[in-house]
Amino acid sequence: MPDNNDHYNKQQPQQGDARATLPPGWRLELKLGPDAAGEFGGVAEVWEGQTMRCRLVLTLCGQDRAAAVARVNARVEEWVADWLARPHSGDSDFAQLE
């Protein structure tokens, strides 16, 4: 009997696919695989050095792997450009509640 989570087992790290154009020190870790219907989805993590800046949950990326990867790369590049355009000063960690 097939495992209902088989499609998750197919999502392996695909560093060779992740070719987004990112600034120095940034990287994309992409796990992408097809679901039972052949539709690609997965998770993309965007890292600046050792700090993960964003985790994107990817759904309905199409049935062509190359097109899905190109779509993810464009989305990641847009997210990083937007993130870099915003000011990032001060402490943005959770504060103690009083």
Side-chain angles (χ1 to χ4, degrees), residues 3-61:
D3 181 354
N4 288 337
N5 292 319
D6 276 348
H7 66 280
Y8 292 114
N9 297 331
K10 295 177 186 174
Q11 294 179 2
Q12 300 297 321
Q14 300 294 326
Q15 288 291 4
D17 286 300
R19 303 223 186 264
T21 303
L22 300 173
W26 288 74
R27 73 181 187 282
L28 169 60
E29 292 182 8
L30 178 61
K31 294 181 183 179
L32 193 65
D35 64 12
E39 194 78 27
F40 280 91
V43 176
E45 294 179 347
V46 181
W47 294 78
E48 180 185 20
Q50 298 300 312
T51 305
M52 183 174 31
R53 296 292 182 195
C54 179
R55 177 179 287 138
L56 299 167
V57 176
L58 311 166
T59 61
L60 303 175
C61 292

Side-chain angles (χ1 to χ4, degrees), residues 4 13 17 26 34-35 40 47 49 51 58 64 67 74 78-79 86 88-92 94-95:
N4 288 337
D17 286 300
W26 288 74
D35 64 12
F40 280 91
W47 294 78
T51 305
L58 311 166
D64 177 78
E78 182 180 337
W79 185 91
R86 294 189 308 262
H88 299 280
S89 61
D91 185 6
S92 61
F94 291 106

